[in-house]
Every structure is written in structure tokens, then in C-alpha cells.
Amino acid sequence: MTQIASPLIRRLATASLAAGAAMAAMMATPAAAEIQLQFGFQDRDVARMVSLGGSCNRCELSGRDLTGAAFHGATFIEATLVGTDLRGAELMGSNFSGSDFSRADLDGATLVAANFTGANFSGASLVGADASGATLVRTRFANADLSGAQLVGVNLNGAVLSGADISDAEMVAVTLANVSARGADFSGTDISMSNLSNGDFRSADFSNATLNGARLTGGTFAGADFEDAEMNRADIRGADLSRARGLSQAQIGRACGDANTRLPGNLSPRACRGLSGVRAIPAPPRPPAPPVPPRSRNLVVASSGR
């Protein structure tokens, strides 16, 4: 268990909070629809030099080039970042609940311990992103690309993952309860010790995935592909796997079922003694507070005046 938690804790402990020469203190009012960064450079240059903190709720930042920008401990509730370029950006410990990241590019971004409750990432690209410990409750990832992402310990309760590519990702100790993940691609993903209970995983791809110790109780898996998936002590009690594909008796024999487990063909479940359910890794520590802005700055931050 400690081995699983250590990489996450190390990432949080070593994350740099000194990125950029200054932090913009942003004025937050519901009417502030747009933040203009007036620095004499293009957006991409500002992103390299400035740490964006403070508060800017309902900001309009769609289509901006913010590659490498750092949002540390910031509050951007219900902000609009449709199609924004956030490759390599750091959104660590920030609150982006209800924000719209649809079609945004967050490849390689760091979203560690951030709050994205109710946010929209439909059609967004998060290839190789690190969202360990993030809150993603009721977040929309329809047709998003999260391949190779680090999603250790995230909470995706009630999220929409329909058609999402989550292949080769790390999803150890993740909450996937009550999700809508029809047609999602989990191939090659490590979903060990995760909670998939009561989720809709119809036509999802779990081929070559690792589901050791995961809970599938009450889930629906019609058309889901489990070819070569590892299911050692996976909790399939009450799961409907009757129309799943790629399952073998060898896999089911290592999982833990009961009389309510529905399986295809002549497969039969095995009852396990001492099954205590899904285990969890320790919660990640809170990220440190963002740095205090320097006394002298030549950065001017202004609202649109709307």
C-alpha cells in the first residue's frame, strides 16, 4: 500500500511553486467575464513567466495560449476555457468546479489535488496528464483522451466517461461508482482496488486491464471486453457480466462472486472468504499555499469592465 502512495506523495512534495516571475492577483466578480493579461508579450510568453493565482470566477479564457501556465491554489469557479491550450500547465490545488474545458488541450498538465466537480472536459485532450488526488465528481469526459494519464486516488463518482480513451492509464484506488462509461477504453489500464460499483460500462474495453481487488458490484457490463484482464480477488458479487466478452473460467475463478453474479455461458462464480471490499490508499496531502507575489511587479491585470 505504501509503495502505491509514495509516488503520489513525492510528486506533491517536489512540485515547484516558484514557476514564473510573479503571481497575478485576480479580481473576482460575477460580471468579470474576461481577464486581460497586459504584459507586452503574447499569451504564451505570459504563461511562461507568470503564476496565475487569486480568484477569477466565471472568467472567459477560451482559445488562449496558456501553455506552461501555473494556477496554484487559484479559484476559477465556472470559468470558460473552451479550446484553450494548457499543455504542460499546472493547476495544482486549484478550484475549477463547474468550469468548461471542452476541446481544451491539457496534454502533460498537472491537475494534482485540484477540484473539478461538475466541470466539462468533453472532447478535451489530457494525454499523460497527472490528476492524482483530484476531485472529479460528476465531471464530463465524453470522448476525451486521457490515455497514459495518472489518475491515482481520484474521485469520479457520477462522472460521464462515454467514449473516453483512458487506455494505459494509472487508476489505482479510484472511485468510479455510478459512472456512465459506455464505450470507454480502459485497455491496459491499472484499475486495481478501485470502486466500479453501479456503473454503466456497456461496450467498454477492459482488455489487458488490471482489475485486481476492484469492486464491480451492481455494475452493468453488456458487450464489455475483458480479454486477458487480471481479476484476482475482484469483487463481482451482484455484477451483471452475462453479456460480457472475453471472460474465461480462469479469470472468474480468481474473482469473488456470489449467487447474484450473472455470468455468460457455463462460467460459475467463486465465493471468497474474508472479502472486505475495496481498499484505499491514504489521501494525498494538501498542496502548499501559492507563493506571495513580489512587492514590485510590471504585470497589469484588468477585467473587461463588463
Side-chain angles (χ1 to χ4, degrees):
M1 199 68 62
T2 302
Q3 293 177 345
I4 295 174
S6 295
L8 171 58
I9 295 174
R10 284 199 301 270
R11 284 196 296 272
L12 288 168
T14 59
S16 173
L17 294 180
M23 172 187 292
M26 301 211 171
M27 301 299 295
T29 63
E34 181 180 8
I35 289 296
Q36 298 174 345
L37 301 176
Q38 300 171 349
F39 199 74
F41 298 96
Q42 299 298 317
D43 285 349
R44 61 180 179 274
D45 298 310
V46 174
R48 291 191 188 101
M49 304 173 68
V50 180
S51 180
L52 305 175
S55 177
C56 185
N57 299 334
R58 300 183 183 177
C59 278
E60 173 56 68
L61 296 170
S62 296
R64 292 293 187 91
D65 184 348
L66 296 177
T67 53
F71 298 79
H72 292 152
T75 301
F76 279 66
I77 297 173
E78 296 184 0
T80 304
L81 300 99
V82 176
T84 299
D85 190 345
L86 289 158
R87 287 174 295 171
E90 297 179 3
L91 284 67
M92 191 172 69
S94 296
N95 186 354
F96 281 87
S97 57
S99 294
D100 189 353
F101 291 88
S102 55
R103 302 189 305 281
D105 189 344
L106 293 101
D107 290 354
T110 301
L111 291 71
V112 172
N115 182 1
F116 296 97
T117 299
N120 183 13
F121 288 88
S122 297
S125 181
L126 296 96
V127 176
D130 186 354
S132 300
T135 300
L136 302 169
V137 176
R138 299 186 307 279
T139 302
R140 297 186 61 85
F141 287 100
N143 300 309
D145 188 350
L146 294 100
S147 56
Q150 296 287 325
L151 301 167
V152 176
V154 304
N155 186 351
L156 282 154
N157 197 338
V160 176
L161 302 166
S162 304
D165 182 352
I166 321 176
S167 59
D168 300 313
E170 292 291 332
M171 300 188 75
V172 176
V174 168
T175 298
L176 283 161
N178 309 302
V179 301
S180 177
R182 191 167 186 173
D185 184 359
F186 295 96
S187 61
T189 292
D190 189 350
I191 320 175
S192 300
M193 298 184 293
S194 295
N195 184 359
L196 286 70
S197 60
N198 303 312
D200 181 358
F201 296 96
R202 287 175 289 177
S203 300
D205 186 354
F206 292 99
S207 60
N208 297 295
T210 302
L211 292 156
N212 297 335
R215 177 185 293 170
L216 282 65
T217 303
T220 303
F221 297 91
D225 185 0
F226 286 89
E227 185 174 1
D228 295 325
E230 293 185 20
M231 301 179 68
N232 299 333
R233 292 188 68 80
D235 186 354
I236 58 174
R237 294 175 297 179
D240 185 359
L241 297 163
S242 59
R243 290 190 288 164
R245 300 182 292 114
L247 284 172
S248 67
Q249 185 59 52
Q251 289 170 301
I252 297 301
R254 289 189 289 268
C256 302
D258 62 7
N260 295 317
T261 303
R262 301 178 61 187
L263 298 170
N266 298 320
L267 302 184
S268 56
R270 176 182 71 100
C272 294
R273 293 182 179 181
L275 185 63
S276 58
V278 177
R279 295 167 289 173
I281 61 172
R286 290 184 178 182
V292 177
R295 183 169 299 177
S296 59
R297 294 176 295 172
N298 57 354
L299 172 65
V300 178
V301 180
S303 69
S304 64
R306 283 189 261 173

